[in-house]
């Protein structure tokens, strides 16, 4: 029996090599020996090669949708074809066969069939000729000639791309819907996965030489909350059998910096870092406490207001966009942790002037170009669906058809933007105020399809027809349909976006292009999180709590030696065995600089006064593209301009100022050793203790500076300048702009 | 096998396969089996039943060939050559008889021809091996077909990363090496992952079949 097992393993190794075309002739001989030696081996061989071949056939053959529908239509015709028609179709197919079809490169197997169909056409055509007393042999020869070009497996076979095939029968047999994994309802799905996964994974992990005991780690982190445990279960089961072990739990410095930047949008101050590092409580307890504190921090409101303002109206300042009004609306919403569906309802159904109703500012900004941007951006931001290309044609990858774009757009048909000059009672100055006006009209949308036909679209959302009469406020109806909780898309889209915000990668990439063409990496997790988010009453803070308390979020962003392959930057689907590092946004950088360089004695930061400054500062990174889609480009993350700006900007030089009341001057006044000061600089900038190597380097820099100087005041200044150098280096380091 | 007209006469099938001698062979065959060489349905284009059977058998036929030659590229080539013969000889197929058996027989001669052309290739299987595999593959045909149906379910249950890898590996024109390059992963690591996934699939299929028989 053990011999059998050994042979079995040897056979598997040989078969693997065979599948990758790596067999030597000696191995071929050995393979034969094994297979012929034992019926069970023969069986294994056939099962294996059959699997290999089925995968080749089934996966390799998936042709483009276009070819399929083309083939289907032709084959339907073929069914009822008289001989006269045979001739027509055949001539059509022959001409099609002369056209190279780049899109069909994948359908090689189909070509085999195509050759056959071509032959049948030719034979069918031949019979026509035959009936007219033409020599039948020449027809057969023709059949051969059409078929033979496809025998070569190179470019010539591609020529046959568009030939008809019996689409109905062949397609059902051949297609594997790899793009559409079945997502069962949330309650049963994990069971289904586990039942098939268990013993597979035993095999796999024993082979890969590593296994991951998710439950043990989960309990170590005390996942009290059900959802937190569910997240970790799902991530762990995603890793099973892959040989990937999750990264270590991040140290307190890394985690604290990350959670601050993620929840409140800036780094922790040096005082808070030291307090946290010295907190004697259990790691889990103190981290939970931080999450709770940050969720109630005023900066939480500011951070999420910034994030959503940028998503909704971009970063560029425009006189036609009432940015402050939208910011105020969002600030109120986040401050009261209003249910997300209510916020969205207010934005989508908004009416009135932006001064009275900040929520109206979103649509005012996008009602240009006959509400095309409003339609596209509403779908993209709130529903995570890209529909802009369906304005002109059916979506190539997802289910959206052209009419759906126009049906969605017809919800905006009653809306116009009216701008008026009004006097601001507070300042006495005239301001241009925009208002969203709802006109009682019942018109549908008209559009041209690809064939140039005029079509009409009435308001329909997700298959629900809305009353077309002019008395019905269509945007209110749309807002209701989007947010009533019976459709998961609003919640899914938000969960996906939030997941990306915290982990650096969403379940789909990009996060706002969801759909059957873009399978989520963890479909069960996404679905369950979305469902629970709906059940929680669209509670954003609860969702953040689930994510931030999960063990997955506690992990380091550093690789370990088993998860090098978990690298979305290399184009691999994220497994979330670590938290992926992110670049700071421009706003995070600005706010973090403010925090890092805040003098120790200054307790509060007046963010409100700072806001207009920051918005102005932002403009140097943003280019409004002035397109119909209201796109803009932000050249910020990791660019040369950022590096130059950081090194030379006024802001940095102010941060390094030695003037009275500045961060450095306050630091110099304190009675402490030089070492203590250096240590504080590092904690302020990078939220961690300096390394031994850094300390040695800094001491050298300062010693050099001081050695060059005279005794007395000069020496004091040299010390200060040394500290400046060190601080400059820290603030300009890569580490400063990365969210670990 | 006995229901199929031509399987007993290998010579005629082989000769029909070569394009130039088509008329020769026909006349020779006519003299050999005059009773069924000119049935009235020769005048008819292939029936829709025939076309349907033809399309349906393609994958199984491909797998049957692949198991005997090992190389997907060769198997495709042979499949195409076989198809040409099938279409030439469609009128010899007796409706109602075992279509797959018929086409497998045709493929048998195409494989022989292919092997003859490649006889210098030292990586080629021995004829003893090929005939043993062909016999076994025919016997297991129904079972393998059943397994393939289950494979589709098992693929759906793979982790999405694995599914993605399989999808990439088995897309036309790809192999383990090219996928490794595409993903920037070491080739050996990709080979290992692919081995693991294939084994996972095989186990999943076997387990489900065992469960079915309970």
């Amino acid at each position: 029996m053990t011999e059998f097992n050994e042979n079995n393993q040897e056979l598997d190794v040989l078969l693997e090599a065979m599948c990758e075309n790596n067999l030597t002739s000696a191995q071929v001989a050995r393979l034969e020996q094994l297979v012929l030696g034992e019926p069970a081996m023969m069986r294994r061989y056939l099962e294996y090669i059959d699997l290999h071949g089925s995968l080749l056939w089934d996966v390799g053959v998936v042709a483009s949708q276009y070819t399929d529908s083309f083939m289907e239509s032709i084959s339907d015709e073929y069914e009822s074809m008289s001989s006269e028609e045979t001739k027509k179709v055949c001539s059509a197919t022959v001409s099609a066969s002369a056209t190279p079809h780049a899109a069909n490169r994948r359908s090689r197997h189909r070509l085999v069939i195509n050759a056959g169909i071509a032959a049948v056409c030719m034979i069918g055509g031949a019979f026509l000729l035959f009936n007219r007393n033409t020599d039948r042999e020449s027809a057969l020869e023709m059949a051969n000639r059409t078929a033979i070009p496809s025998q070569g497996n190179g470019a010539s076979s591609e020529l046959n791309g568009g030939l008809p095939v019996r689409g109905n029968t062949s397609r059902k047999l051949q297609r594997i819907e790899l793009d559409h994994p079945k997502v069962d309802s949330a309650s049963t799905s994990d069971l289904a996965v586990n039942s098939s996964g268990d013993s597979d994974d035993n095999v796999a992990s024993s082979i890969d030489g590593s296994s991951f005991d998710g439950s043990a780690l989960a309990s170590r982190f005390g996942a009290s909350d059900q959802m937190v445990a569910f997240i970790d279960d799902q991530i762990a089961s995603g890793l099973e059998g892959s040989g990937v072990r999750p990264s270590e739990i991040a140290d307190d410095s890394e985690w604290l910096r990350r959670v601050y930047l993620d929840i409140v949008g800036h780094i922790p101050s040096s005082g808070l870092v030291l307090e946290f590092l010295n907190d004697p409580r259990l790691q889990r307890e103190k981290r939970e406490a931080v999450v709770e504190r940050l969720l109630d921090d005023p900066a939480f409101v500011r951070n999420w207001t910034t994030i959503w303002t940028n998503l909704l109206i971009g970063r560029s300042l425009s006189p036609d966009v009432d940015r402050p009004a939208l910011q105020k609306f969002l600030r109120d919403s986040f401050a009261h942790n209003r249910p997300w569906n209510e916020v969205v309802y207010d934005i989508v159904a908004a009416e009135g002037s932006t001064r009275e109703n900040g929520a109206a500012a979103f649509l005012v900004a996008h009602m240009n170009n006959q509400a095309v941007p409003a339609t596209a951006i509403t779908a993209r931001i709130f529903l995570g669906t890209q529909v802009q290309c369906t304005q002109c044609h059916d979506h190539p990858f997802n289910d959206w058809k052209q009419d759906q774009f126009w049906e969605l757009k017809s919800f905006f048909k009653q809306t116009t933007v009216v701008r008026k000059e009004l006097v601001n009672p507070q300042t006495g100055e005239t301001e241009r105020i925009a208002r969203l006006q709802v006109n009682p009209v019942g018109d549908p949308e008209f559009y041209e399809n690809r064939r140039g036909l005029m079509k009409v679209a009435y308001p329909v959302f997700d298959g629900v027809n809305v009353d077309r009469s002019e008395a019905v406020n269509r945007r209110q109806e749309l807002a209701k349909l989007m947010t009533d909780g019976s459709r998961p898309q609003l919640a899914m889209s938000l969960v996906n976006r939030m997941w990306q915000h915290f982990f650096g990668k969403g379940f789909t990439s990009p996060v706002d292009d969801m759909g059957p063409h873009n399978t989520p990496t963890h479909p069960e997790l996404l679905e369950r999180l979305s469902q629970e988010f709906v059940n929680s009453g669209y509670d954003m803070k609860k969702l953040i709590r689930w994510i931030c308390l999960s063990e997955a979020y506690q992990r380091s962003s550093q690789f370990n030696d088993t998860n090098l392959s978990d690298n979305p930057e290399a184009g691999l689907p994220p497994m979330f065995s670590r938290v992926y590092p992110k670049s700071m946004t421009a706003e995070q950088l600005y706010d973090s600089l403010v925090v890092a360089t805040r003098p120790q004695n200054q307790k509060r930061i007046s963010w409100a006064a700072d806001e207009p400054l920051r918005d102005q500062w932002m403009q140097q990174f943003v280019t409004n593209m002035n397109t119909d889609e209201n796109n803009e480009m932000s050249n910020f993350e990791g660019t040369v301009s950022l590096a130059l700006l950081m090194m030379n900007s006024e802001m940095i030089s102010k941060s390094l100022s030695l003037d009275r009341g500045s961060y450095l001057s306050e630091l110099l006044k304190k009675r402490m050793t030089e070492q203590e000061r250096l240590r504080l600089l590092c904690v302020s900038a990078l939220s961690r203790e300096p390394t031994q190597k850094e300390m040695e380097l800094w001491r050298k820099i300062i010693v050099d500076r001081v050695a060059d100087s005279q005794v007395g005041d000069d020496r004091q200044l040299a010390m200060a300048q040394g500290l400046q150098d060190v601080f400059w280096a820290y603030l300009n380091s890569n580490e400063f702009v990365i969210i670990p | 096998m006995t229901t199929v007209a031509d399987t007993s006469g290998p010579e005629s099938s082989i000769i029909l396969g070569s394009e130039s001698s088509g008329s020769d062979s026909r006349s020779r065959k006519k003299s050999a089996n005059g009773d069924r060489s000119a049935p009235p349905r020769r005048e008819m284009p292939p029936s829709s039943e025939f076309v349907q059977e033809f399309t349906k058998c393609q994958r199984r036929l491909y797998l049957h060939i692949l198991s005997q030659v090992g190389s997907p590229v060769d198997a495709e080539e042979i499949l195409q050559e076989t198809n040409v013969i099938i279409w030439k000889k469609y009128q010899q197929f007796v409706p109602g008889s075992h279509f797959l058996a018929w086409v497998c027989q045709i493929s048998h001669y195409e494989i022989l021809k292919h092997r003859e052309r490649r006889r210098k290739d030292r990586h080629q299987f021995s004829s003893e091996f090929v005939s043993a595999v062909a016999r076994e593959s025919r016997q297991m045909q129904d079972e393998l077909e059943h397994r393939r149906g289950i494979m589709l379910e098992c693929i759906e249950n793979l982790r999405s990363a694995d599914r993605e890898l399989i999808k990439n590996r088995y897309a036309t024109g790809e192999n383990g090496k090219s996928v490794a390059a595409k993903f920037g992963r070491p080739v050996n690591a990709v080979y290992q992952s692919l081995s693991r996934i294939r084994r996972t699939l095989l186990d999943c299929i076997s387990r489900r079949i065992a469960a079915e028989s309970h």
Side-chain angles (χ1 to χ4, degrees), chain B residues 187-205:
Chain B
V187 178
N188 274 337
V190 170
Y191 282 172
Q192 259 180 18
S193 304
L194 286 169
S195 314
R196 172 180 55 75
I197 301 169
R198 279 191 286 251
R199 271 193 301 263
T200 307
L201 284 173
L202 283 172
D203 280 12
C204 168
I205 297 170

Side-chain angles (χ1 to χ4, degrees), chain A residues 50 58 112 150 173 200 238, chain B residues 60 80 83 126 148 159 207:
Chain A
D50 210 74
D58 286 316
V112 178
S150 65
L173 285 163
D200 295 351
Chain B
R60 194 70 257 159
Q80 301 211 14
N83 281 338
S126 67
R148 184 259 175 187
R159 295 184 310 115
R207 230 170 337 95

